Amino acid sequence: MQFADKKEAVDYLAAHPEVLSIELFLIDANGVPRGKLLHRNELLAIYENGRPLPSSILALTVQGEDVEDTGLVWDVADADCWTYPLAGSLTLQPWRTHPTGQVQVSMHPTQGIPAAPADPRHVLVHAIDRLKADGFHPVMAVELEFYLLDQQRDANGRPQPALQTNGVRPQAPQVYGIYELEQLQPFLDDLYAACALQGLPVRTAISEYAPGQVELTLEHRFDALQAIDEGVRYKRLVKGVANKHGLQACFMAKPFSDQAGSGMHLHVSLADEEGNNLYASEDPQGTPLLRHSIGGMMATLFDSLAIFCPHANSYRRFQTGSYAPLAKSWGVNNRTVSFRVPGGPAISRHIEHRICGADANPYLAAAALLAGIHYGITRQSDPGAAIEGNGYEQATDFLPTDWLTALQALQDSAWAHEALGAEFLKVYLAIKWREFRKFNAEVGEQDWRWYLTHA
């Protein structure tokens, strides 16, 4: 684990005398940033001696409630665990009304005990290190789809797409629409400016397959950990910039039953130490190493689905003809499969992992993906024949489409306990089972609509 040098903080404070507050955040199991708002006078001490956070900060549900079964609450007296800043994460939050900084921290491997094994970033570091030990350097990029919504609900109390600058609320998908991007120009201008300020390599903006749905791509990085750090910070930034514009950036996997879901596509290849792409081949299906990698991801897919799709809502995204995958499948230049090998020159050959919803924790999703690749390489797993044509019509080995089945598969998986860490999985599963029970105990609008009169 590489933490930041004190000089980074000294230089930052000298360059930004206007900044009086700094947001310190850590990413929890659900991908939620949690932390504190600090005074600038507290910053140097964090770089010198770390900052204690309670062990329970990594034992919370998505609603921020303690989960005692994690063993990180009363069993350890909610002990202080020391965190340290991550190099390159100290920057500005330009969406704030007053000059405010931002720094991301992670648990120290030893001083952060007992919470350190539950830190999602540690799980990813372990997965990367296992591949590097065998001579493989993962190269990754993150694509995140999201909806821009009004902060005000409609007359029925439901979320609604944000008004465009022309005062009209979008109704049609208008996928790839240029006019739709033009209507988002004030938001996109601020978003690109904020990304430039934070050093986030944001590139293409796309109007996606639903009213108000947008995707911006992030550039691939030779350092996979850097790519995922940037994906995490980008998500935080999008929410902040949207809020500044009176909007809500929604990363739910399926916020509307009659519209497209939002995915997080992870792009991955393996390189040698010099950066040469080990998947590169004139064959569109790539090298044997690429196919073994897909085979491993397919073999471990069911075991890790509760990582890729961590919430009840995640499973509503899996619908035929929705551009969301339905089965263990792969293909070349084919968006109807789970693992897509995009077209392009040989040097760019890589895999697009299309399983995750936008609600997945990027650290954990990337860790499970890379652990699956490692499994496939060590066993030379065969992915079978590539799908040609409509993958929905040819699907056979279907994904589970319910949260319970996925959670049970993760809990029972010997591979997951070894690859992701038994201590981490104890915490993660305790959180998810608590959320599962609470979600299913809640009576709401759908129950009343279906059963109130005729049951």
Side-chain angles (χ1 to χ4, degrees):
M1 186 66 68
Q2 185 177 6
F3 295 113
D5 187 89
K6 177 184 173 180
K7 186 177 185 301
E8 185 174 305
V10 172
D11 292 346
Y12 178 87
L13 292 173
H16 298 287
E18 77 284 5
V19 171
L20 298 180
S21 300
I22 297 164
E23 179 185 283
L24 175 147
F25 74 91
L26 173 145
I27 299 298
D28 75 2
N30 279 303
V32 177
R34 301 192 186 275
K36 301 180 177 184
L37 193 63
L38 308 176
H39 190 273
R40 68 179 281 127
N41 292 342
E42 299 177 89
L43 184 64
L44 284 180
I46 300 170
Y47 281 75
E48 293 170 340
N49 305 308
R51 180 79 183 200
L53 293 174
S55 57
S56 60
I57 200 169
L58 288 173
L60 301 173
T61 67
V62 72
Q63 294 185 312
E65 300 167 324
D66 283 342
V67 180
E68 293 85 352
D69 290 346
T70 59
L72 294 179
V73 188
W74 310 130
D75 292 359
V76 295
D78 200 7
D80 275 341
C81 301
W82 263 255
T83 65
Y84 284 80
L86 300 176
S89 70
L90 181 57
T91 184
L92 293 171
Q93 290 186 333
W95 57 86
R96 294 273 196 170
T97 54
H98 298 286
T100 304
Q102 168 185 301
V103 63
Q104 184 180 354
V105 298
S106 183
M107 288 287 171
H108 191 279
T110 56
Q111 297 176 33
I113 298 295
D119 186 331
R121 194 172 187 270
H122 286 230
V123 182
L124 176 56
V125 169
H126 176 67
I128 292 172
D129 286 348
R130 289 184 75 177
L131 281 168
K132 285 185 176 180
D134 290 341
F136 304 113
H137 294 256
V139 177
M140 295 195 71
V142 179
E143 289 180 356
L144 274 165
E145 298 168 338
F146 62 94
Y147 277 85
L148 273 180
L149 306 177
D150 268 353
Q151 291 184 345
Q152 298 296 319
R153 303 290 181 90
D154 69 12
N156 296 313
R158 295 170 181 165
Q160 57 183 342
L163 287 173
Q164 300 175 137
T165 56
N166 62 6
V168 175
R169 197 176 309 283
Q171 300 294 324
Q174 295 297 354
V175 64
Y176 305 128
I178 297 300
Y179 179 77
E180 281 63 37
L181 293 178
E182 179 185 317
Q183 293 300 307
L184 297 176
Q185 184 170 339
F187 166 77
L188 290 175
D189 285 349
D190 274 2
L191 183 61
Y192 275 108
C195 286
L197 187 66
Q198 292 199 352
L200 300 178
V202 174
R203 296 295 180 257
T204 306
I206 303 168
S207 175
E208 277 290 346
Y209 198 58
Q213 191 184 38
V214 186
E215 178 189 83
L216 283 82
T217 60
L218 291 166
E219 186 177 322
H220 72 277
R221 296 295 198 185
F222 176 72
D223 182 346
L225 185 59
Q226 178 186 1
I228 303 304
D229 280 339
E230 289 172 346
V232 165
R233 294 167 199 164
Y234 166 74
K235 192 171 181 180
R236 172 72 184 95
L237 181 149
V238 171
K239 287 175 178 270
V241 173
N243 187 65
K244 176 184 176 182
H245 283 260
L247 307 172
Q248 180 181 8
C250 172
F251 290 87
M252 279 180 67
K254 187 74 170 176
F256 302 104
S257 61
D258 58 344
Q259 300 291 350
S262 292
M264 178 175 69
H265 298 161
L266 296 173
H267 294 252
V268 61
S269 61
L270 296 180
D272 62 19
E273 195 169 359
E274 287 73 41
N276 300 302
N277 184 1
L278 299 175
Y279 289 169
S281 172
E282 294 298 336
D283 183 346
Q285 295 193 7
T287 60
L289 183 70
L290 182 150
R291 294 190 288 277
H292 294 328
S293 298
I294 293 177
M297 288 191 290
M298 291 175 70
T300 58
L301 177 53
F302 289 177
D303 289 12
S304 46
L305 193 61
I307 299 287
F308 301 139
C309 304
H311 305 296
N313 177 261
S314 307
Y315 298 86
R316 302 192 191 281
R317 176 170 156 261
F318 297 125
Q319 305 289 332
T320 299
S322 66
Y323 290 102
L326 294 182
K328 286 183 181 180
S329 58
W330 77 286
V332 176
N333 197 16
N334 189 333
R335 287 186 171 86
T336 68
V337 297
S338 297
F339 306 107
R340 171 179 175 251
V341 180
I347 196 171
S348 71
R349 201 74 66 224
H350 69 279
I351 303 164
E352 180 187 27
H353 181 283
R354 298 174 59 83
I355 301 292
C356 300
D359 55 344
N361 182 328
Y363 288 126
L364 299 181
L369 178 161
L370 294 178
I373 286 176
H374 187 264
Y375 179 94
I377 293 171
T378 56
R379 290 161 180 79
Q380 297 192 344
S381 301
D382 181 6
I387 294 289
E388 296 183 7
N390 189 338
Y392 295 115
E393 292 180 349
Q394 300 175 58
T396 55
D397 202 356
F398 288 95
L399 300 175
T401 55
D402 69 280
W403 200 14
L404 174 60
T405 301
L407 284 173
Q408 196 65 58
L410 179 62
Q411 179 170 286
D412 295 343
S413 171
W415 166 81
H417 280 77
E418 188 276 330
L420 304 178
E423 290 181 275
F424 160 73
L425 273 188
K426 175 190 173 183
V427 173
Y428 184 78
L429 284 166
I431 292 169
K432 289 295 140 187
W433 283 122
R434 171 69 66 82
E435 291 176 353
F436 174 83
R437 289 190 292 270
K438 184 167 184 178
F439 185 91
N440 283 283
E442 187 170 317
V443 177
E445 180 183 329
Q446 183 172 348
D447 296 73
W448 300 325
R449 195 171 64 249
W450 278 53
Y451 305 119
L452 191 65
T453 303
H454 298 295

